[in-house]
Every structure is written in structure tokens, then in C-alpha cells.
Amino acid sequence: MGKYILKRLGYMIITLFLVASITFFMMKLMPGTPFSNQDKLSAAQLKIMNEQYGLNKPIWQQYLIYLGNMLHGHFGTSFQFNNQPVLQLIVSRLKPSLLIGAQAMVIGSLLGILLGAVAAVNKNNWVDSLATFVSILGISVPSFVLAVLLQFFLAFKWNIFPIALWTDWKSSILPSLALAVSPLAQTARFMRTEMVDVLNSDYIELSKAKGNTRWQTVVKHTLRNSLIPVITILGPLTANILTGSLVVENIFSIPGIGEQFVKSIMTNDYPTIMGLTIFYALLFMIMLLITDILYSVIDPRIRIAGKENN
């Protein structure tokens, strides 16, 4: 396992290098400049600005300078956000996005697994139909529609939660519920499909023949084996939700990194675009690594197969 993780970390470093390189050159192809008031600047002022940010150098020099700074943990300063260091800017905006994202994933995945399991155990009766309807509804209704409904009923009409703004933990509940719908629906659908297949397996019949109750069979044999495909989708889903949702963050006026990323693209804020892209890529790869490790924890056959291959 240790060698496997080291190998994956090596792949992650190579992938980050490729992501940073491709993003850097693609970013330079974007139209416009990072100076929103360029039309009001004289030629001399524009020259000074370009020299200050190193934009007067050839692109290949800018690329090498950026890679060198990145290796030392320096990702430049933002053009848009008052010359703040990009790393500091991301950290300051990360907490709200991570909190609502983590809460959404916990709520969505746990309820989704439970809903899918209940649907599979009660296959083809009204419970299954109701669970399937809920999961389809969850996929069909966009998170921003649910966000507005939650705001109207739970905040505006019944005054249970804050309607918007980021003040305390209660401010995170409604956006978390709005974001939880998608992982809940997708997890429930995967869980139901996999669990129905497992319930039709020979070893499940053997378990019943040994005298295990239906509950014992489900908990001991069915749930664990059905979780492996579900974990496959939870990794990318977690990375997507943890990095914030522009629409939901805007609806609830949450200062997260999703909003920051779009603003940096619209204003050609090169350092912020680079920093956030590298952060997204790193988070996505970490979630995939955790997913692979969880495979071997849940199903020992995968770990054994890995040893045999080595």
C-alpha cells in the first residue's frame, strides 16, 4: 500500500505540472488584458504596469518564472483583489465553500445510500417506486431552484434560518441542503442498481440458507459489496461540491471560491486563475486517491489482487 501511494503521489506531481503548463499557455490566448481601466491609461502608465507584473517579458520567460515561484509555494498576487497573494486569497475564501460542500456531501451521500438500499430491498413495490421518484426528482430539480424554495419557506416565511449572508454556522445549512440534492439522487440510483444485482447473487442465497435473517444478510453481505461502485462516483462528486457552487453561493451571498474563480476569468486575473486551477486539480486527484484507498478497505480482494500484480 505504501509503494502504491508513493507511486500515485509521483503521478500527481506530473499531472500538476501538465495542468499548470497547459493552463498557463491557454490563459495567454484569452482575449483582453488584466487591466480593466486600460483605455484610461497612457502608454507610459501601461508600460509601468506591465513591467510591475512581469507581463512585458516573453511568454516563455513568464512561464519559467511562474514554475520557479510555484515550486517555492508562491502563486503570485491577484490583479483584481487588491494585490493580495493568491494563496492567501484562496485560503480566505475556502472555509465557506468547504463547510457547505462537506455538509452537503455527508447529508447527500448518507441519505442516498439509505434511500437506494431501502429501494433495492423493497424492489418493485410502492417503497421502491417512491424512492425512485425522489431520486429522479432530485436529479431533475436544479440546486438553484431548491435554494430559492428553501429560502422562501425556511427563511422568509417561517424564519428558521438566515435568508442569506455569511454570519455563523446557521448560514451554511440552507446552501448545504440545496447542494445535497444532487449527490443524494445520484448515490441513491447507483446504490439501488448495485444492491439489486448483489441481492441476486449466489452467496446471498447461501447466506439465507445458513439461516441468516434478511436484515443480517443485507448488513453483512449486501451493503458492503454494493458500496464499491458508489464510492467511484463519490470521489469526483466530492471534489466538485467542495470547490463551491457559483449559483448557490451567489443566491445566499456566500464569499466562496466558486464566485472568485468566475470573477477572475472575467477579469483576466492570471495569477488567480492559475492558483485556483491548480487547487481544483490537486483536490480532484486527492479525492481519487482516497477513493482508491477506500476500495481496498471495503473489499480486501482488491488489496490482494494488487499484491499479486506487484
Side-chain angles (χ1 to χ4, degrees):
M1 180 61 76
K3 287 183 179 178
Y4 174 75
I5 293 176
L6 286 176
K7 190 176 178 182
R8 288 292 298 269
L9 290 177
Y11 288 151
M12 287 170 64
I13 293 172
I14 296 172
T15 306
L16 275 182
F17 168 74
L18 292 175
V19 168
S21 302
I22 294 171
T23 305
F24 183 89
F25 289 108
M26 289 186 68
M27 190 179 59
K28 293 296 181 183
L29 296 176
M30 291 169 59
T33 72
F35 308 121
S36 57
N37 58 345
Q38 182 177 349
D39 296 339
K40 300 177 183 176
L41 297 175
S42 65
Q45 289 172 323
L46 190 59
K47 182 181 178 183
I48 293 173
M49 294 287 285
N50 284 327
E51 287 176 353
Q52 179 181 348
Y53 291 106
L55 299 177
N56 59 330
K57 294 182 173 63
I59 290 179
W60 67 269
Q61 280 189 19
Q62 295 180 40
Y63 169 68
L64 293 179
I65 291 172
Y66 186 85
L67 286 185
N69 290 335
M70 189 179 76
L71 291 175
H72 291 87
H74 180 56
F75 294 87
T77 55
S78 169
F79 297 157
Q80 182 192 6
F81 297 95
N82 300 321
N83 287 328
Q84 285 189 60
V86 169
L87 194 57
Q88 179 183 329
L89 195 61
I90 294 174
V91 171
S92 67
R93 296 271 188 133
L94 195 57
K95 183 180 175 182
S97 295
L98 282 182
L99 180 61
I100 64 173
Q103 290 180 160
M105 279 308 300
V106 171
I107 296 170
S109 57
L110 290 181
L111 290 181
I113 289 172
L114 180 64
L115 189 66
V118 170
V121 172
N122 297 278
K123 183 185 174 186
N124 295 332
N125 65 18
W126 68 270
V127 177
D128 184 21
S129 301
L130 180 62
T132 303
F133 173 74
V134 171
S135 62
I136 292 174
L137 192 66
I139 292 175
S140 306
V141 178
S143 58
F144 62 85
V145 174
L146 185 63
V148 174
L149 292 175
L150 290 172
Q151 270 187 325
F152 178 75
F153 287 105
L154 297 181
F156 178 73
K157 198 169 183 179
W158 298 330
N159 198 26
I160 299 175
F161 298 105
I163 193 167
L165 298 179
W166 187 255
T167 54
D168 53 16
W169 177 72
K170 289 182 72 176
S171 307
S172 68
I173 296 177
L174 292 186
S176 296
L177 292 176
L179 286 175
V181 175
S182 177
L184 186 153
Q186 295 188 50
T187 305
R189 287 171 62 83
F190 266 80
M191 188 67 189
R192 181 196 177 279
T193 303
E194 292 301 322
M195 202 160 165
V196 166
D197 288 341
V198 173
L199 284 172
N200 292 326
S201 302
D202 293 338
Y203 62 88
I204 297 297
E205 295 299 326
L206 181 61
S207 174
K208 293 176 182 176
K210 287 181 177 178
N212 288 325
T213 64
R214 187 185 189 191
W215 173 251
Q216 289 173 328
T217 302
V218 169
V219 173
K220 287 182 180 178
H221 304 292
T222 313
L223 272 177
R224 186 167 182 165
N225 291 332
S226 303
L227 280 176
I228 297 174
V230 175
I231 289 175
T232 305
I233 64 164
L234 286 182
L237 265 177
T238 303
N240 288 335
I241 289 188
L242 286 182
T243 49
S245 165
L246 169 66
V247 179
V248 172
E249 286 180 0
N250 274 336
I251 289 175
F252 291 98
S253 299
I254 295 173
I257 56 176
E259 178 195 24
Q260 184 186 25
F261 189 43
V262 174
K263 282 184 177 176
S264 64
I265 292 175
M266 295 178 69
T267 57
N268 282 20
D269 190 350
Y270 300 144
T272 307
I273 294 172
M274 287 294 298
L276 285 170
T277 304
I278 292 170
F279 170 75
Y280 285 150
L282 181 63
L283 182 62
F284 191 79
M285 287 185 287
I286 290 174
M287 293 313 303
L288 290 181
L289 177 61
I290 293 174
T291 301
D292 289 344
I293 294 173
L294 285 177
Y295 281 154
S296 62
V297 173
I298 292 178
D299 190 349
R301 294 173 301 178
I302 295 176
R303 187 163 58 244
I304 292 170
K307 286 180 179 178
E308 289 177 349
N309 289 335
N310 290 332

